[in-house]
Amino acid sequence: MDFTPTDEQEAARELAARIFADLSTPERLAGLGGGSDAELWKALSGAGLTAAVEETGLLGLVLMLEEQGRATAQVPFAASGVYGLLAVAGHGTREQRERLLPGLRDGATVATGAFPARGGIVITGREDAGAGGVRARLTGTVPWVPWLGDATHVLVAVREDGPARAAHGEAGESIHSLWMVSAGGAGCEPVELTAPWAAGRLVLDGTVAERIGGPEAYGEVLATARTAFAGLQAGVCAGSLARAVEYTNEREQFGRPLAAKQGVQLRAAEAHMDIEAIRVTAYESAWRRDKGLAYESHALTAAWWASEAGKRVVHTGQHLHGGMGADLDHPVHRHFLWGRQIDGYLGAGGELLEELGELIASGQGAGTQTGTTEGSTS
């Protein structure tokens, strides 16, 4: 395994870092409230970084998301990259790719995902959409979807049980399927989350949807999302620790910097090792995906580290700021909120370990292998 970025991936990361550093300053972030930064999204798209997701692969996206996390930049980069560009490029039909990818590349189209699959979404009727496509109508509610307020399209994960599939004349086994809906044709009720992710409650009432990929698409997109958000968490944690290091070097107690105290050094060292664990597991999962290797178990491992270690790191960043860490307006508090939000989005560590254990026990520890379904759906 060689996680060394290619020249293209490194260039994308460096450009992303400059844009995030220039535009996602604490002052600008404070003025955004819970909304997204439209100017920043325009800058990222104009620089070609939204399109670069397709060219640099999941590892390239993870590298750019690290830089977003360092700045806690309020844009739907992870969601649109995973649930939009990579999902459509990997699993869409030729017609879907030709129609949806141009807008996703230039940022005019913003996608998000109702993931993972939750109960309550039902499919009422299907029809052949031509060119290998299938359409259906979806009804139900998803309690919250990140960046729904910015989205033009939503990738909805649906668990179809056996009886429901049999009623449509299909094989009776339960599966997870993916359906793309237009956000304009669905209901969106704003929801406030721990982090300012412009979230909303998705309400579907006979909403027309088009299927993306086959039964294998759900597992692959879920593994991709877990990897991407683990990369985002690595950046959030790195930003939190960097602020703590800066603060403890400047803050003096009894004539000595706080950073000179052994207890502070040990806490910072432990946080650094946790960040490296999140980073390397996310890199490995992304690298395997880009190489066409199985990586579902690796994505679960990255998600577990991001969830469990991520909590520890952002708590450490808060703690090392002492009383200042309790200030809700201090920049480090933003990292704390993001870290806890990503932890909740990825799922509790115990749940992820249970899923990983079941995967290994089933003899499928290597997990899902990536691969476009272009040959079967075009």
Side-chain angles (χ1 to χ4, degrees), residues 20 33 46 112 142 170 189 197 216 235 245 305 307 313 333 338 345:
F20 287 131
T112 188
V142 180
E170 300 180 353
E189 303 169 0
W197 284 6
E216 79 293 336
V245 169
W305 274 106
S307 173
V313 173
H333 188 66
W338 275 67
Y345 187 60

Side-chain angles (χ1 to χ4, degrees), residues 46 59-60 76 102 127 129 344 369:
L59 182 55
E127 62 182 42
Q369 184 167 347

Side-chain angles (χ1 to χ4, degrees), residues 19-316:
I19 294 175
F20 287 131
D22 289 344
L23 294 182
S24 288
T25 62
E27 295 75 21
R28 289 194 75 246
L29 288 170
L32 292 173
S36 294
D37 191 335
E39 182 181 346
L40 174 57
W41 184 248
K42 184 177 180 180
L44 291 171
S45 302
L49 292 181
T50 48
V53 172
E54 189 178 8
E55 300 168 4
T56 61
L58 181 55
L59 182 55
L61 177 60
V62 164
L63 293 171
M64 290 187 283
L65 290 177
E66 271 196 83
E67 302 305 329
Q68 179 187 357
R70 290 180 199 274
T72 59
Q74 292 174 205
V75 285
F77 200 12
S80 197
V82 170
Y83 301 125
L85 208 149
L86 292 179
V88 173
H91 299 281
T93 65
R94 178 174 287 110
E95 188 277 332
Q96 288 171 331
R97 294 195 301 274
E98 292 175 350
R99 172 166 45 89
L100 295 173
L101 286 180
L104 290 166
R105 290 170 183 146
D106 65 21
T109 298
V110 177
T112 188
F115 266 70
R118 300 179 177 90
I121 301 296
V122 296
I123 298 174
T124 57
R126 304 172 190 247
E127 62 182 42
D128 186 347
V134 177
R135 286 181 182 164
R137 292 186 177 273
L138 305 183
T139 297
T141 301
V142 180
W144 67 273
V145 177
W147 290 289
L148 183 59
D150 300 327
T152 59
H153 291 74
V154 186
L155 189 65
V156 182
V158 179
R159 186 182 188 280
E160 303 181 56
D161 59 26
R165 285 172 55 76
H168 293 296
E170 300 180 353
E173 68 274 9
S174 297
I175 65 166
H176 289 93
S177 56
L178 300 182
W179 302 84
M180 187 72 81
V181 304
S182 169
C188 173
E189 303 169 0
V191 173
E192 185 174 349
L193 301 182
T194 301
W197 284 6
R201 187 187 316 277
L202 180 67
V203 181
L204 305 174
D205 186 10
T207 306
V208 176
E210 56 182 317
R211 183 158 182 168
I212 302 292
E216 79 293 336
Y218 172 77
E220 199 275 332
V221 174
L222 179 59
T224 299
R226 284 169 166 164
T227 305
F229 279 89
L232 182 64
Q233 182 76 306
V236 169
C237 292
S240 175
L241 182 59
R243 291 189 182 281
V245 169
E246 180 182 10
Y247 178 81
T248 54
N249 272 287
E250 294 176 349
R251 178 74 170 175
E252 292 189 356
Q253 188 178 63
F254 305 117
R256 298 179 62 199
L258 288 175
K261 296 182 179 295
Q262 187 178 49
V264 172
Q265 294 172 0
L266 289 174
R267 287 293 300 276
E270 289 172 351
H272 172 74
M273 295 306 297
D274 273 338
I275 295 169
E276 287 302 298
I278 300 170
R279 178 180 290 122
V280 73
T281 52
Y283 283 10
E284 180 180 10
S285 180
W287 176 84
R288 291 182 65 89
R289 189 263 185 196
D290 291 343
K291 292 296 183 182
L293 302 173
Y295 71 108
E296 185 177 5
S297 62
H298 302 80
L300 278 165
T301 302
W304 181 83
W305 274 106
S307 173
E308 291 294 294
K311 281 184 293 192
R312 290 196 296 267
V313 173
V314 295
H315 275 271
T316 293

